[in-house]
Amino acid sequence: MDAAAITRVLAGVPLFVALTDAERAEVGAHMRSRRFARDEVIFHRDDPAGHLYVIVSGSVKVAMPDEQGHEVVFAVEQEGAVFGELALFDDAPRSATVTALGETHVVTLSRDDFLHVIERNPRAMREILRLLARTVRRASGRIEDLVFLDVPGRVAKCLLDLAAAHPQPEIELTQDDLAAFVGATRVSVNRSLADLEAQGAIAVGRRHIAIKDQAMLKRQVRH
C-alpha cells in the first residue's frame, strides 16, 4: 500500500479528518502497511508500545489474558478504528493483547510521528481525548453490565453494542470470544445464543453472528 493510498484511508478516520490534505499526506508518508492472518496476535500485553494502528480492513479483538490462558475481551474494533494509542502517552507497556479476528490489514504510525500530529493540531488532540473518554465509558459500562445483568441479558447487550458500534451485516466473533466478552462460561453463552436464535433474534454461524431483530434483543436486556 503506497503513501497516496494510505492518505486516502486517513481521510475517513476521525482522528485524521481534522488535518488538511497536505498534513494527511505528510502523515501518510510516515505510515507503514501490515497484514495479519486470522487469529494472529498483533501485539501482546506487556509488549513495548511504539506504534498506533489504524484498521484498513478486517477486525481485531482487544483482550486481557491471564496466566492460565483465559481472557476477558474488552472490545472488538473494525475498519476505520484506531487502537494502540493509550500506551503512547506514558511510555508504559501494552495493557492488552490485540488479535486479528480475520484477515486484517492495518497501517501503523510511530509514537514520535503520532505525538507530532496531536501537538500541532488541537482538533486532532480533541479527537484523541474523545477516544480515551470512550474507552473509560466502555469500561464503566462493562462493570455495570456484569453487576446488574444476567447472562442472557449480557449476551443480548453485547450483541447490540457491537452492532451499534460496527454496523455490518454480521458480527465476526466466535462463541468463545463472546463468552470472554460477557464474563460467562461458553456453555451458558451457547444456551443464550440458542434461545435467541430460536426466537429469530439472531442467526449463529461458525465464526459470526447475524443480528435479525434488534427489538427482540433489547427486550432481553433487563436490569
Side-chain angles (χ1 to χ4, degrees):
M1 193 174 193
D2 61 21
I6 293 175
T7 301
R8 288 193 294 271
V9 169
L10 297 184
V13 178
L15 173 59
F16 300 102
V17 167
L19 306 182
T20 65
D21 291 343
E23 288 171 332
R24 275 196 296 272
E26 180 183 352
V27 172
H30 288 88
M31 300 188 86
R32 297 293 176 264
S33 177
R34 295 188 63 188
R35 296 181 183 273
F36 295 90
R38 173 178 288 176
D39 297 327
E40 184 176 357
V41 174
I42 296 173
F43 56 73
H44 290 91
R45 181 186 181 188
D46 295 328
D47 281 352
H51 293 82
L52 167 146
Y53 295 76
V54 178
I55 303 175
V56 178
S57 63
S59 59
V60 304
K61 67 175 178 180
V62 183
M64 183 83 72
D66 65 17
E67 295 179 355
Q68 286 73 44
H70 305 113
E71 63 181 14
V72 175
V73 177
F74 289 101
V76 173
E77 303 289 4
Q78 299 193 32
E79 181 177 333
V82 173
F83 66 91
E85 76 284 355
L86 184 62
L88 301 184
F89 285 100
D90 59 3
D91 289 328
R94 295 294 187 187
S95 59
T97 295
V98 176
T99 307
L101 288 174
E103 299 290 332
T104 299
H105 179 195
V106 303
V107 289
T108 68
L109 184 66
S110 73
R111 179 180 185 274
D112 288 344
D113 289 328
F114 164 70
L115 293 177
H116 185 62
V117 168
I118 62 175
E119 286 168 355
R120 291 173 57 186
N121 194 300
R123 286 182 296 174
M125 174 63 82
R126 286 196 293 272
E127 180 60 27
I128 278 293
L129 292 175
R130 189 190 69 80
L131 289 174
L132 297 178
R134 186 191 69 172
T135 300
V136 173
R137 290 180 187 274
R138 186 163 54 194
S140 299
R142 287 289 308 284
I143 294 171
E144 181 181 3
D145 292 346
L146 288 171
V147 171
F148 294 111
L149 293 178
D150 58 12
V151 173
R154 297 206 299 272
V155 169
K157 174 81 163 25
C158 176
L159 294 176
L160 287 168
D161 289 345
L162 291 173
H166 312 290
Q168 303 289 337
E170 296 176 340
I171 298 170
E172 190 170 11
L173 198 70
T174 67
Q175 294 178 34
D176 284 333
D177 288 335
L178 183 57
F181 214 127
V182 302
T185 65
R186 175 169 177 165
V187 171
S188 59
V189 168
N190 287 355
R191 188 180 303 118
S192 297
L193 290 174
D195 289 343
L196 291 171
E197 189 168 33
Q199 296 172 48
I202 62 173
V204 180
R206 182 171 178 271
R207 294 182 65 97
H208 64 266
I209 300 169
I211 307 299
K212 299 296 186 181
D213 190 334
Q214 291 201 19
M216 191 174 293
L217 284 178
K218 289 176 182 177
R219 289 196 290 271
Q220 300 291 325
V221 184
R222 297 184 295 270
H223 288 84

